[in-house]
Amino acid sequence: MSKEVELKLALPAQALPALRAHPLIADAPVEGADGVLLNTYFDTPGLELRSRKIAVRLRKDGERWLQTVKCAAASLGGLASRPEWEHPYRDERFDFSVVDIQDVRTELENVRSRLAPVFTTTFHRQTRRLTPAPGVVILAMIDEGTIEAGGRCSPICELELELVSGDGKDLYALACRLAADLPLRPEDASKAQRGYELYQNLRPAPRRARPVALSAKTKAREAFRQLAYELLAMWQTNEALALRLDDPEYVHQARVALRRLRTLLGLFRRALPKTLTQEWRPRFAALANGLGAARDADVVLDTLLAPITTQGPVGGDMQRLVAALEAHRDTERASLRQIEASAERGRAQLEFAAVLHALKPDADELVGSVARRAMKRVRRDARASLAEAVAGDVAQLHRLRIVLKRLRYGLDFFASLWPQKVPEYARALAELQESLGAINDAAMGYRLLGELAGSDPGLAAARAFTAGWHAPRIAQLRAHALVDADALLGSPAPWKKGNAK
């Protein structure tokens, strides 16, 4: 068995000439012969191997046929390490005798007679041998081609950096050097994963925040790394999907991931190097704001205009307002897909992954004490914001919403430390957040519609009608939100000492 350690990067097809001409690639010696690789992936009719995260592949490389078995592995910031078994394919039969993990071999032997082709990948590969530092050898493989399954086709355009000697940090260092000049972004989805999705004709679901089980005995920095890697994967996955599909939820969840990352840095700031939080908190905020315009347009269409337009015929001015907002949304979506914009986000993903990989554990305190202290701090801020909101305007209410969102994210991060106490508190907080979110969405929406209306009296009238139509609902939400916030912030906190595992 060998272990493959690689960093997979995606790029737009129009950037391939620049990649091949980049000095780090162009000046590197050729490894093997450039050529076309034909690959067929096999599984049972019920896709049993996929359910067990095992891939079986036949590859034609020149005149040779190779059989490869791989097991899936978690990707951390695009960096994956997985077991792999490869040997010649002979006599038109699979041979799993080389698989030395017994459970995997048993699974393969049980399905051998039922294996059939599922999908194929065909791509041209160029391989270069890079030595970016003494003792470091990395194979750079440029793949361009297609995945085909069920009569459907999807493009392949990737750069795989495979570690021959060195450390994971060397892969990140090389990737960051290349990303400084090229629109590269880390790609967690393997060719096999994409092939199965194509075969099943699946539209990938947005990746939402997933719980991370922490122990109160986990060191603070290690807990931070675990949580940050999960959020980085959430960001990367949704960004990649938003670049090729129009579902607005991809953009929304990418933005949520960035906001959660910013909150995470704030909660752990006393346990982390000061330079890390000083650089990345504002950077994450700017990146989230960059996704905001497209998301805001979708929210206004769904929450402010659709409730009106779906109740029956509307006038021409309202129709024009909807059309103006849809055009604005389409423009903003297109801007997210511009090479320069996606390249900036890809660089940030690689650079933050490199930071996490290099973060030293140190002899810091346990996560339990860090979590309690951080949550107390956020609740104190929330109480101060509530006092201002009671006597203030929409701006103060928005500030309260932001602080409560930090409180909610913190509960999500640390829920496994206080499992008996969090659920009820979290439900109440989620309901409060929904109300405050609706109030904020309305205020944001009226501003956006005002900008689109400009000096057009018809559009301005449609905007005013929209505000009036929603006014009773918003007023009721605001009245209840302040009462609910006061009750929640006065109730016993889940993180009170003695509740941890």
Side-chain angles (χ1 to χ4, degrees), residues 386-429:
L386 174 61
E388 294 174 358
V390 169
D393 56 14
V394 172
Q396 277 71 39
L397 206 60
H398 176 60
R399 167 64 183 166
L400 173 62
R401 171 177 169 267
I402 294 300
V403 179
L404 287 175
K405 185 172 287 189
R406 288 164 46 202
L407 194 68
R408 184 179 177 185
Y409 290 165
L411 277 182
D412 288 346
F413 298 150
F414 303 129
S416 60
L417 301 179
W418 316 300
Q420 304 303 319
K421 304 292 183 178
V422 165
E424 183 178 350
Y425 196 92
R427 277 193 297 271
L429 183 53

Coordinates of all heavy atoms in Angstrom, one line a residue, residues 386-429:
L386 N -28.7 45.3 23.5 CA -30.1 45.3 23.7 C -30.5 46.6 24.3 O -31.5 47.2 24.0 CB -30.5 44.1 24.6 CG -32.0 44.1 25.0 CD1 -32.9 44.0 23.8 CD2 -32.2 42.9 26.0
A387 N -29.8 47.1 25.3 CA -30.1 48.4 26.0 C -30.1 49.5 25.0 O -31.0 50.4 25.0 CB -29.1 48.6 27.1
E388 N -29.2 49.5 24.0 CA -29.1 50.5 23.0 C -30.3 50.4 22.0 O -30.9 51.4 21.6 CB -27.8 50.5 22.3 CG -26.6 50.8 23.1 CD -25.3 50.6 22.4 OE1 -25.4 50.2 21.2 OE2 -24.2 50.9 22.9
A389 N -30.7 49.2 21.7 CA -31.7 48.9 20.7 C -33.1 49.3 21.2 O -33.9 49.8 20.5 CB -31.7 47.4 20.3
V390 N -33.3 49.2 22.6 CA -34.6 49.5 23.1 C -34.9 51.0 22.9 O -36.1 51.4 22.6 CB -34.6 49.2 24.6 CG1 -35.9 49.8 25.3 CG2 -34.6 47.7 24.8
A391 N -33.9 51.9 23.0 CA -34.1 53.3 22.8 C -33.6 53.8 21.5 O -33.6 55.0 21.2 CB -33.4 54.0 24.0
G392 N -33.2 52.9 20.6 CA -32.5 53.3 19.4 C -33.4 53.0 18.2 O -34.6 52.9 18.2
D393 N -32.7 53.0 17.0 CA -33.4 52.8 15.7 C -33.0 51.5 15.1 O -32.4 50.6 15.8 CB -33.1 54.0 14.8 CG -31.6 54.2 14.6 OD1 -30.8 53.3 14.9 OD2 -31.2 55.2 14.1
V394 N -33.2 51.4 13.8 CA -32.9 50.1 13.1 C -31.4 49.8 13.1 O -31.0 48.6 13.2 CB -33.4 50.2 11.6 CG1 -32.9 49.0 10.8 CG2 -34.9 50.3 11.5
A395 N -30.5 50.8 13.2 CA -29.1 50.6 13.2 C -28.7 49.8 14.5 O -27.9 48.9 14.5 CB -28.3 51.9 13.1
Q396 N -29.3 50.3 15.6 CA -29.0 49.6 16.9 C -29.6 48.2 16.9 O -29.0 47.3 17.5 CB -29.6 50.4 18.1 CG -28.7 51.6 18.5 CD -28.7 52.7 17.5 OE1 -29.7 53.0 16.9 NE2 -27.5 53.3 17.3
L397 N -30.8 48.0 16.3 CA -31.4 46.7 16.2 C -30.5 45.8 15.4 O -30.3 44.6 15.7 CB -32.7 46.8 15.6 CG -33.7 45.7 16.0 CD1 -34.0 45.7 17.5 CD2 -35.1 45.9 15.3
H398 N -29.9 46.3 14.3 CA -29.0 45.5 13.5 C -27.7 45.1 14.3 O -27.3 44.0 14.2 CB -28.6 46.3 12.3 CG -27.6 45.7 11.4 ND1 -27.8 44.4 10.8 CD2 -26.3 46.0 11.0 CE1 -26.7 44.1 10.1 NE2 -25.8 45.0 10.2
R399 N -27.2 46.0 15.1 CA -26.1 45.7 15.9 C -26.4 44.6 16.9 O -25.6 43.7 17.1 CB -25.7 47.0 16.7 CG -24.7 46.7 17.9 CD -23.4 46.2 17.4 NE -22.5 46.0 18.5 CZ -21.4 45.3 18.5 NH1 -21.0 44.8 17.3 NH2 -20.6 45.1 19.5
L400 N -27.6 44.6 17.5 CA -28.0 43.5 18.4 C -28.1 42.2 17.6 O -27.6 41.2 18.1 CB -29.4 43.9 19.0 CG -30.1 42.7 19.8 CD1 -29.2 42.4 21.0 CD2 -31.5 43.1 20.2
R401 N -28.6 42.3 16.4 CA -28.7 41.0 15.6 C -27.3 40.5 15.3 O -27.1 39.2 15.4 CB -29.4 41.4 14.3 CG -29.3 40.3 13.2 CD -30.1 40.7 12.0 NE -29.8 39.7 10.9 CZ -28.9 39.9 10.0 NH1 -28.1 40.9 10.0 NH2 -28.7 39.0 9.0
I402 N -26.3 41.3 15.0 CA -25.0 40.8 14.8 C -24.4 40.2 16.0 O -23.7 39.1 15.9 CB -24.1 42.0 14.3 CG1 -24.6 42.5 12.9 CG2 -22.6 41.6 14.2 CD1 -24.5 41.5 11.8
V403 N -24.5 40.8 17.2 CA -24.0 40.2 18.4 C -24.7 38.9 18.7 O -24.0 37.9 19.1 CB -24.1 41.2 19.6 CG1 -23.5 40.6 20.8 CG2 -23.3 42.5 19.2
L404 N -26.0 38.8 18.6 CA -26.7 37.6 18.8 C -26.3 36.5 17.9 O -26.3 35.3 18.2 CB -28.2 37.8 18.8 CG -28.8 38.6 20.0 CD1 -30.3 38.9 19.7 CD2 -28.6 37.9 21.3
K405 N -25.9 36.9 16.6 CA -25.5 35.9 15.7 C -24.1 35.3 16.2 O -23.9 34.1 16.0 CB -25.3 36.5 14.3 CG -24.9 35.5 13.2 CD -24.9 36.2 11.8 CE -26.3 36.4 11.4 NZ -26.4 36.9 10.0
R406 N -23.3 36.1 16.7 CA -22.0 35.6 17.3 C -22.3 34.7 18.4 O -21.7 33.6 18.6 CB -21.2 36.8 17.8 CG -20.5 37.6 16.7 CD -20.0 38.9 17.2 NE -19.3 38.8 18.4 CZ -19.1 39.8 19.3 NH1 -19.6 41.0 19.0 NH2 -18.4 39.7 20.4
L407 N -23.3 35.0 19.2 CA -23.7 34.1 20.3 C -24.2 32.8 19.8 O -23.9 31.7 20.3 CB -24.8 34.8 21.2 CG -25.1 34.2 22.5 CD1 -23.9 34.4 23.5 CD2 -26.4 34.8 23.1
R408 N -25.0 32.8 18.7 CA -25.5 31.6 18.2 C -24.4 30.7 17.5 O -24.4 29.5 17.7 CB -26.6 31.9 17.1 CG -27.3 30.7 16.5 CD -28.3 31.0 15.5 NE -28.9 29.9 14.9 CZ -29.7 29.9 13.9 NH1 -30.1 31.1 13.4 NH2 -30.2 28.8 13.4
Y409 N -23.5 31.4 16.8 CA -22.4 30.6 16.2 C -21.6 30.0 17.3 O -21.1 28.8 17.2 CB -21.5 31.5 15.4 CG -22.2 32.0 14.1 CD1 -21.6 33.1 13.4 CD2 -23.3 31.4 13.6 CE1 -22.2 33.5 12.2 CE2 -23.9 31.8 12.4 CZ -23.3 32.9 11.7 OH -23.9 33.3 10.5
G410 N -21.3 30.7 18.4 CA -20.6 30.2 19.5 C -21.3 28.9 20.1 O -20.6 27.9 20.5
L411 N -22.6 29.0 20.3 CA -23.3 27.8 20.7 C -23.1 26.6 19.8 O -22.9 25.5 20.3 CB -24.8 28.1 20.9 CG -25.3 28.9 22.1 CD1 -26.8 29.0 22.0 CD2 -24.9 28.1 23.4
D412 N -23.2 26.9 18.5 CA -22.9 25.8 17.6 C -21.5 25.2 17.7 O -21.4 24.0 17.7 CB -23.1 26.3 16.1 CG -24.5 26.6 15.8 OD1 -25.4 26.2 16.5 OD2 -24.8 27.3 14.8
F413 N -20.5 26.1 17.9 CA -19.1 25.6 18.0 C -19.0 24.7 19.2 O -18.3 23.7 19.2 CB -18.2 26.8 18.1 CG -18.2 27.7 16.8 CD1 -17.8 29.0 17.0 CD2 -18.4 27.2 15.6 CE1 -17.8 29.8 15.8 CE2 -18.4 28.0 14.5 CZ -18.1 29.3 14.6
F414 N -19.6 25.2 20.3 CA -19.3 24.6 21.6 C -20.4 23.7 22.2 O -20.4 23.3 23.3 CB -19.0 25.7 22.7 CG -17.9 26.6 22.3 CD1 -18.0 28.0 22.3 CD2 -16.6 26.1 21.9 CE1 -17.0 28.8 21.9 CE2 -15.6 27.0 21.5 CZ -15.8 28.3 21.5
A415 N -21.3 23.3 21.3 CA -22.5 22.6 21.8 C -22.1 21.3 22.4 O -22.8 20.8 23.4 CB -23.5 22.3 20.6
S416 N -21.1 20.6 21.9 CA -20.7 19.3 22.5 C -20.1 19.4 23.9 O -20.0 18.4 24.6 CB -19.7 18.6 21.6 OG -18.6 19.4 21.4
L417 N -19.8 20.6 24.3 CA -19.2 20.8 25.7 C -20.3 20.9 26.7 O -20.1 20.6 27.9 CB -18.4 22.1 25.7 CG -17.2 22.1 24.8 CD1 -16.5 23.5 24.9 CD2 -16.2 21.0 25.0
W418 N -21.5 21.3 26.3 CA -22.7 21.5 27.2 C -23.9 20.8 26.6 O -24.9 21.5 26.4 CB -22.9 23.0 27.5 CG -21.7 23.7 27.7 CD1 -20.7 23.5 28.7 CD2 -21.2 24.8 26.9 NE1 -19.7 24.4 28.6 CE2 -19.9 25.3 27.5 CE3 -21.6 25.5 25.8 CZ2 -19.2 26.3 27.0 CZ3 -20.9 26.6 25.3 CH2 -19.7 27.0 25.9
P419 N -23.9 19.5 26.3 CA -24.9 18.9 25.5 C -26.3 18.9 26.2 O -27.3 18.9 25.4 CB -24.4 17.5 25.4 CG -23.5 17.2 26.5 CD -22.8 18.6 26.7
Q420 N -26.4 19.0 27.5 CA -27.7 18.9 28.1 C -28.4 20.3 28.1 O -29.6 20.4 28.3 CB -27.6 18.4 29.6 CG -26.9 17.0 29.7 CD -27.6 16.0 28.9 OE1 -28.8 15.9 28.9 NE2 -26.9 15.1 28.2
K421 N -27.6 21.3 28.0 CA -28.1 22.7 28.3 C -28.3 23.5 27.0 O -29.1 24.4 27.0 CB -27.2 23.5 29.2 CG -26.9 22.8 30.5 CD -28.1 22.8 31.4 CE -27.9 22.2 32.7 NZ -29.1 22.2 33.6
V422 N -27.6 23.2 25.9 CA -27.6 24.0 24.7 C -29.0 24.0 23.9 O -29.4 25.0 23.5 CB -26.5 23.6 23.8 CG1 -26.6 24.2 22.4 CG2 -25.2 24.2 24.4
P423 N -29.6 22.8 23.7 CA -30.7 22.7 22.7 C -31.8 23.7 22.9 O -32.2 24.4 22.0 CB -31.2 21.3 22.8 CG -29.9 20.5 23.2 CD -29.2 21.4 24.2
E424 N -32.3 23.8 24.2 CA -33.4 24.7 24.4 C -33.0 26.2 24.2 O -33.7 27.0 23.6 CB -34.0 24.5 25.9 CG -35.2 25.4 26.2 CD -35.7 25.1 27.6 OE1 -35.2 24.1 28.2 OE2 -36.5 25.9 28.1
Y425 N -31.9 26.5 24.7 CA -31.4 27.9 24.6 C -31.1 28.2 23.1 O -31.5 29.3 22.6 CB -30.0 28.0 25.4 CG -29.6 29.4 25.6 CD1 -29.9 30.1 26.8 CD2 -28.8 30.1 24.7 CE1 -29.5 31.4 27.1 CE2 -28.3 31.4 25.0 CZ -28.7 32.0 26.1 OH -28.3 33.3 26.4
A426 N -30.6 27.2 22.4 CA -30.3 27.4 20.9 C -31.6 27.6 20.1 O -31.6 28.4 19.2 CB -29.5 26.3 20.4
R427 N -32.6 26.9 20.5 CA -33.9 27.0 19.8 C -34.5 28.4 19.9 O -34.9 29.1 19.0 CB -34.9 26.0 20.2 CG -34.8 24.6 19.6 CD -36.0 23.8 19.9 NE -36.1 23.5 21.3 CZ -35.6 22.4 21.9 NH1 -34.8 21.6 21.2 NH2 -35.8 22.2 23.2
A428 N -34.5 28.9 21.2 CA -35.0 30.3 21.4 C -34.1 31.3 20.7 O -34.7 32.3 20.1 CB -35.0 30.6 22.9
L429 N -32.8 31.1 20.7 CA -31.9 32.1 20.0 C -32.2 32.0 18.5 O -32.2 33.1 17.8 CB -30.5 31.7 20.3 CG -29.4 32.6 19.8 CD1 -29.7 34.1 20.1 CD2 -28.0 32.2 20.3

